[in-house]
Amino acid sequence: MISYKVNNILKFLMLLLILVVAGVVYISVRQGLRFRSNTESITHTEQVMSKAEDINLYAYEYVLAVRDYMNVSDQKYAKLMVLFQQKMQQNLEELAVTEKEDELQPIIIDSLKHYVNRLTGLSVQVDSIIQLENETIPREMGEEEIKSRMGY
């Protein structure tokens, strides 16, 4: 009789132990999946932030190249302008590919493209300014006449 009770108690404890081990394994696997998901999310966010920072850096470099081109009229600065413009466009395209799954990000990327295009539109204005300077503008020419020749 005692051995029967002991056997039942041992069976119950063994079942309880199996349930506890199964619960621990289940929780561990679930936590591992959650950890992997969080890690992927953090990596993705880091990539997006890196691309956005690169666009910001190239925009700054582009503005500096425009300034130097206007000051010096050296073709190497014109080439730098083109290079930084291409780098901005390339990073925008990579950012769009990275964020194609998200619902809101493409809207933000489109507005960023708009502002990059506005910024890079400066190169057309800079070229017209350089051409005006090369045409030796008479000192008597008024501000309105200069603006009209530049297309304002």
Side-chain angles (χ1 to χ4, degrees):
M1 186 76 153
I2 292 181
S3 69
Y4 177 72
K5 286 184 180 180
V6 170
N7 280 341
N8 284 340
I9 291 174
L10 286 175
K11 287 179 185 176
F12 175 74
L13 289 176
M14 188 58 111
L15 181 64
L16 187 61
L17 179 64
I18 290 172
L19 288 175
V20 168
V21 169
V24 168
V25 167
Y26 172 75
I27 290 172
S28 295
V29 168
R30 202 172 89 202
Q31 289 291 356
L33 292 174
R34 188 178 301 162
F35 179 77
R36 179 181 290 161
S37 173
N38 288 343
T39 303
E40 289 172 358
S41 176
I42 290 169
T43 302
H44 175 76
T45 302
E46 183 181 39
Q47 289 173 345
V48 169
M49 289 176 64
S50 175
K51 291 290 178 201
E53 184 61 33
D54 287 347
I55 292 169
N56 187 31
L57 174 69
Y58 292 134
Y60 181 73
E61 293 293 336
Y62 177 81
V63 169
L64 292 178
V66 168
R67 180 200 64 191
D68 292 340
Y69 181 63
M70 288 181 66
N71 288 336
V72 182
S73 300
D74 189 350
Q75 286 302 313
K76 78 175 182 183
Y77 295 114
K79 291 177 183 175
L80 282 174
M81 288 168 43
V82 171
L83 173 71
F84 291 129
Q85 183 178 1
Q86 290 171 346
K87 293 276 190 183
M88 282 189 285
Q89 293 298 334
Q90 177 185 0
N91 276 320
L92 275 170
E93 290 169 9
E94 290 173 4
L95 191 59
V97 168
T98 303
E99 289 297 307
K100 69 181 175 186
E101 299 294 323
D102 198 333
E103 293 177 12
L104 296 176
Q105 292 297 348
I107 297 168
I108 295 170
I109 292 170
D110 286 343
S111 69
L112 185 59
K113 282 181 184 178
H114 169 74
Y115 289 114
V116 165
N117 289 335
R118 266 183 84 183
L119 176 67
T120 56
L122 284 174
S123 61
V124 174
Q125 294 174 354
V126 168
D127 286 340
S128 58
I129 290 170
I130 297 299
Q131 286 174 352
L132 275 177
E133 288 177 355
N134 291 338
E135 291 176 3
T136 59
I137 302 172
R139 295 286 178 200
E140 306 83 45
M141 188 179 291
E143 182 179 335
E144 293 302 317
E145 192 174 350
I146 292 172
K147 285 183 178 180
S148 69
R149 289 182 76 184
M150 289 177 54
Y152 288 110

